[in-house]
Amino acid sequence: MEVNQALTLGFACFTETAMLHHAFTTFLERNDVKAKYYWLALLLYAFCVLFTAGNSFSIYFVSLFCYSLIVLFSLIFFRNQMEVKLIVSFMFVALNYAFTVLAATFLWQMRGNPISEYLLNLEPAFWSQAILYLLFTVSVFVIDKLRSYEKDKNLLFDGIYVFCVPLFMLLIILKLFYVAMQVQSREYMLENFLIISGLLLLLGLSLYFLADRTRSISETMEQKQIIEQLLSMQDVYYKELESQQKEIRSISHDMKSHLRYLNTILAQGQTERAQEYVKTIYQDVESAHSVAHCGNSVIDAILSNKLQGAEDFGIRLEFDLIIPPQLSVRDIDILILLGNLLDNAMEACKRLEIEDGEKFIYVNARVQKGFLCIQVNNSYNGLLNLVENSYATVKTEKHFCGIGLSNIKRIVNKYHGKLNITHTETVFSVLALLALDE
């Protein structure tokens, strides 16, 4: 009997330590602390498991003791954020004890033992520990796969998680409430009612902070995407600028030859031939890559990016820019504001039919009296989408910012500015004013 007990305790030490290593290396990232100290700490944890399992300590003491060790272990050997390490540590303890109870109860029922003789101290047994290890390993695998699935199907996963998890937690708490009401002892009922109230309070607070954290992460990811798009635009802009400079140098280099040839054919009286040659040179100059250049790299990059897109759809894009190189408005906010104004204008131009007239966009941007003034005029087909006396854009495809006039208004309000929208039967105009810091 003593040999069996020793084997069981040894197996419990091995499985508990293996579960800790498996869970933490799956969900956390190791830091630069030497591997030998990591394995030494795991060995120390195994001895602590042996100590707690070999003595009849209460479950409250064991859970608190193990949780403290696990948190300390995560703080020393992993580089993740503090909140992530605390959550993973708590998840490990929660899964461990949940599956311990489940495995012990399943084994007790399979042996046909009566519920009245159920052992409440959850002493380890070989087969219950084996079932625990299997359930824990499978759960870590499933959670890791769900985490990968969340990255691809973020909205769907968040919707299922935010709805289902609180619902199941609430049902469990209500079940506890129902069980407590069946007990005749008022002292027991009062104690359980207080516990249930505390669980409901913690559930509400956890859901609030989870939702707030999710919103913060979503905003951070959106800003990251916008910054990446801005960097990509600026990279393309500088490449196009370099290409334009090469073409200008090439044209300048050939200009003497062109003038010499023109002078020769004009001296011979070949006026028509000279005119045709001038047209050819003009077309070569016009075909050179066009880029915006007002001195502000962000606005130049955005306009140059949209200029190429406008040309592809036969839209004439013109701009009049007087902007200093540096502005107190954040680059991200300029990208959202100007990018969406141009997206909306191009979308309106794309919907124009041939008989509706010319497709054009005119951008006027300047700093005046302490305000950044950006005005975008564009042609449109005369059809407007008014919702409760407010303009709403109609987009046929997803654009890089994924937002419309609502976020344009948000940027304007952020800088204590003003948004003025006007239209005629053929021209739609938006004027955005943003207050600049002195």
Side-chain angles (χ1 to χ4, degrees):
M1 184 66 181
E2 292 180 356
V3 175
N4 291 336
Q5 185 178 8
L7 290 175
T8 300
L9 291 177
F11 183 66
C13 291
F14 169 76
T15 52
E16 292 286 341
T17 307
M19 288 189 300
L20 178 67
H21 170 70
H22 179 48
F24 274 48
T25 53
T26 300
F27 300 119
L28 297 177
E29 182 183 356
R30 279 275 284 119
N31 57 20
D32 297 328
V33 178
K34 293 182 178 180
K36 64 179 182 180
Y37 297 122
Y38 173 80
W39 294 109
L40 184 63
L42 283 178
L43 182 62
L44 178 62
Y45 177 78
F47 279 114
C48 291
V49 172
L50 181 63
F51 172 73
T52 55
N55 295 275
S56 300
F57 295 118
S58 68
I59 189 173
Y60 301 106
F61 171 79
V62 174
S63 59
L64 183 61
F65 178 71
C66 290
Y67 180 67
S68 301
L69 283 178
I70 292 166
V71 169
L72 184 62
F73 180 74
S74 68
L75 293 176
I76 296 174
F77 295 102
F78 296 90
R79 69 169 77 252
N80 303 74
Q81 293 180 345
M82 175 69 72
E83 59 185 18
V84 176
K85 290 188 281 193
L86 292 176
I87 289 173
V88 171
S89 299
F90 175 79
M91 182 182 71
F92 173 81
V93 174
L95 289 177
N96 193 331
Y97 277 91
F99 291 136
T100 297
V101 173
L102 186 62
T105 305
F106 173 77
L107 196 61
W108 189 267
Q109 289 289 318
M110 290 296 294
R111 291 173 176 172
N113 296 324
I115 297 296
S116 58
E117 299 178 6
Y118 185 78
L119 299 177
L120 299 178
N121 59 351
L122 298 178
E123 291 183 356
F126 181 85
W127 286 111
S128 64
Q129 195 68 28
I131 296 173
L132 162 64
Y133 181 74
L134 176 63
L135 291 175
F136 187 91
T137 304
V138 171
S139 70
V140 169
F141 174 80
V142 171
I143 293 172
D144 188 44
K145 290 299 180 182
L146 286 175
R147 183 174 59 169
S148 302
Y149 179 79
E150 179 191 9
K151 295 177 181 178
D152 300 328
K153 307 289 184 182
N154 189 46
L155 292 177
L156 176 63
F157 184 87
D158 286 348
I160 295 174
Y161 177 83
V162 172
F163 176 77
C164 292
V165 173
L167 177 62
F168 286 128
M169 291 179 68
L170 184 60
L171 291 175
I172 293 172
I173 292 173
L174 290 177
K175 177 62 177 178
L176 291 174
F177 185 79
Y178 173 77
V179 171
M181 291 186 65
Q182 305 306 309
V183 180
Q184 299 299 322
S185 172
R186 291 190 175 273
E187 290 80 5
Y188 180 82
M189 289 178 60
L190 177 60
E191 180 181 351
N192 279 272
F193 284 174
L194 292 175
I195 293 174
I196 291 169
S197 299
L199 288 174
L200 287 171
L201 176 62
L202 292 175
L203 173 62
L205 290 174
S206 299
L207 290 176
Y208 169 77
F209 286 112
L210 173 64
D212 186 66
R213 181 66 173 170
T214 302
R215 177 194 57 79
S216 176
I217 293 174
S218 177
E219 290 179 355
T220 302
M221 291 299 295
E222 181 182 348
Q223 289 186 356
K224 179 183 176 182
Q225 291 175 356
I226 294 174
I227 290 174
E228 290 175 352
Q229 290 158 357
L230 179 58
L231 291 175
S232 176
M233 283 184 180
Q234 288 180 322
D235 182 58
V236 172
Y237 166 73
Y238 288 124
K239 288 181 180 178
E240 290 181 348
L241 186 61
E242 182 180 1
S243 176
Q244 185 191 56
Q245 290 175 342
K246 288 181 180 178
E247 290 178 355
I248 292 174
R249 285 196 297 267
S250 177
I251 293 172
S252 177
H253 179 268
D254 296 337
M255 190 58 64
K256 290 182 179 180
S257 300
H258 293 316
L259 292 175
R260 189 179 301 112
Y261 179 72
L262 283 172
N263 184 57
T264 301
I265 59 178
L266 285 173
Q268 296 173 355
Q270 302 181 40
T271 307
E272 293 183 1
R273 188 175 179 181
Q275 290 175 342
E276 290 296 326
Y277 192 77
V278 170
K279 288 180 181 179
T280 302
I281 297 174
Y282 181 76
Q283 289 173 357
D284 290 340
V285 174
E286 284 291 302
S287 64
H289 291 281
S290 298
V291 294
H293 185 69
C294 69
N296 184 284
S297 60
V298 176
I299 294 179
D300 287 341
I302 296 171
L303 289 176
S304 297
N305 177 270
K306 297 301 177 183
L307 183 62
Q308 183 60 47
E311 292 175 351
D312 294 340
F313 288 96
I315 302 171
R316 178 170 57 86
L317 176 58
E318 296 182 353
F319 28 82
D320 182 10
L321 312 171
I322 306 178
I323 303 294
Q326 299 295 329
L327 292 169
S328 59
V329 181
R330 295 178 65 201
D331 292 347
I332 291 178
D333 295 330
I334 293 177
L335 177 60
I336 293 175
L337 177 66
L338 184 56
N340 276 273
L341 287 174
L342 290 172
D343 277 344
N344 293 340
M346 290 181 66
E347 190 69 27
C349 288
K350 291 177 186 178
R351 290 194 294 269
L352 278 172
E353 302 294 339
I354 297 177
E355 60 272 14
D356 292 328
E358 182 187 13
K359 301 178 181 180
F360 71 87
I361 300 173
Y362 175 72
V363 181
N364 185 302
R366 62 192 65 243
V367 173
Q368 190 173 6
K369 296 182 179 179
F371 284 88
L372 172 62
C373 309
I374 300 178
Q375 183 171 11
V376 177
N377 300 334
N378 62 271
S379 55
Y380 78 115
N381 58 12
L383 299 178
L384 296 173
N385 184 15
L386 290 173
V387 179
E388 297 180 356
N389 295 324
S390 297
Y391 293 95
T393 58
V394 180
K395 295 189 177 184
T396 58
E397 59 186 61
K398 184 178 179 181
H399 293 278
F400 71 90
C401 286
I403 51 179
L405 284 174
S406 60
N407 268 20
I408 293 174
K409 292 178 181 178
R410 178 175 63 83
I411 298 300
V412 170
N413 292 333
K414 177 180 178 180
Y415 290 92
H416 310 289
K418 183 178 180 181
L419 186 68
N420 185 36
I421 303 176
T422 58
H423 67 274
T424 65
E425 293 183 355
T426 58
V427 179
F428 193 87
S429 179
V430 182
L431 173 62
L433 303 177
L434 277 64
L436 301 176
D437 295 337
E438 297 295 337

